[in-house]
Amino acid sequence: MKNTASLTSLFIFQLLFGCGPSESAYDAVKNNRLTFLMAGTFQLKDGTYQDYQEDGQRGWYAGIEKDFCLKVKYKGKTYYAAVTVLNGGGTGYNYGVMVFKDGQTVASLGLGDRIKVKSLSYSQGKIQVEYYVHQKEEKLSDLPTLLVQDELLLDYACKDGTEYKRLNLKNPDELHIMSPPQVSDKLQ
């Protein structure tokens, strides 16, 4: 009986606040088009896109991390946020967060190469992501160990040029300024 009450409480919380990880959030984005500023647009099928060059070598790979998808209610509209990955055939995998509305990318935030995502969440108009990056002394082939946090604001805080901040969670007083995420007028 206790497990039923817990599941009911979780369902009511997600229903009231319109957020939370769920299979339906992944299902809603797994066949979307991912639009990357420098690489173009890729049509996903079941969460991935992959092509091959004429010599049989893998070309582009794009995908959505199934464990990091959210359904978000914001100002009466439904959005989906997901961690994405892009590889152009080399050894690096570039990660980001994309926000979708009606199957289209409306905002994105680049996270970096060979990172490890810890969490994706939503609170008060902010998509928040915690992830590990490599410290200066670490090789890219090693697992990253520096935990950082980024936010993507749904209310267009970056439209006027406001910079987003990357917070070093091991040393909260040290802030790193980064470029604002790519934002589209489709959020309005």
Side-chain angles (χ1 to χ4, degrees):
M1 188 64 129
K2 186 177 180 182
N3 288 342
T4 305
S6 296
L7 288 173
T8 303
S9 297
L10 176 63
F11 175 76
I12 291 170
F13 177 82
Q14 288 182 345
L15 186 63
L16 289 175
F17 294 100
C19 65
S22 68
E23 187 67 29
S24 65
Y26 175 74
D27 287 340
V29 298
K30 69 181 182 181
N31 294 312
N32 281 2
R33 284 209 274 278
L34 301 184
T35 303
F36 296 92
L37 186 62
M38 301 299 279
T41 300
F42 301 90
Q43 178 64 54
L44 298 181
K45 181 176 181 197
D46 294 326
T48 61
Y49 168 90
Q50 190 166 333
D51 70 6
Y52 292 88
Q53 300 171 2
E54 289 181 20
D55 62 2
Q57 295 293 318
R58 192 181 81 187
W60 287 102
Y61 170 85
I64 289 182
E65 294 290 309
K66 186 175 185 173
D67 293 334
F68 299 105
C69 297
L70 296 175
K71 179 180 179 181
V72 175
K73 295 279 188 183
Y74 181 69
K75 293 186 177 181
K77 297 179 181 170
T78 300
Y79 297 91
Y80 294 91
V83 172
T84 60
V85 61
L86 177 69
N87 173 272
T91 58
Y93 285 83
N94 290 290
Y95 288 81
V97 173
M98 287 190 180
V99 177
F100 305 97
K101 180 177 174 246
D102 300 326
Q104 301 295 315
T105 305
V106 295
S108 65
L109 173 65
L111 302 178
D113 183 16
R114 303 174 211 200
I115 60 122
K116 180 167 177 46
V117 177
K118 179 181 178 189
S119 67
L120 180 69
S121 60
Y122 172 77
S123 176
Q124 300 176 342
K126 299 176 188 175
I127 302 292
Q128 300 161 329
V129 59
E130 288 184 319
Y131 57 102
Y132 294 94
V133 298
H134 289 92
Q135 298 188 53
K136 290 179 185 177
E137 64 275 4
E138 294 176 325
K139 297 176 186 175
L140 285 177
S141 59
D142 294 336
L143 287 175
T145 61
L146 180 63
L147 183 62
V148 295
Q149 177 180 333
D150 278 337
E151 295 177 338
L152 195 153
L153 304 179
L154 292 179
D155 66 358
Y156 269 33
C158 71
K159 199 168 188 180
D160 63 2
T162 303
E163 293 183 276
Y164 281 74
K165 296 178 180 175
R166 178 177 290 154
L167 177 62
N168 175 345
L169 297 181
K170 287 186 178 177
N171 182 3
D173 296 327
E174 180 185 337
L175 292 177
H176 302 281
I177 303 300
M178 61 182 296
S179 306
Q182 175 186 346
V183 177
S184 165
D185 291 334
K186 293 178 185 174
L187 260 180
Q188 297 181 8

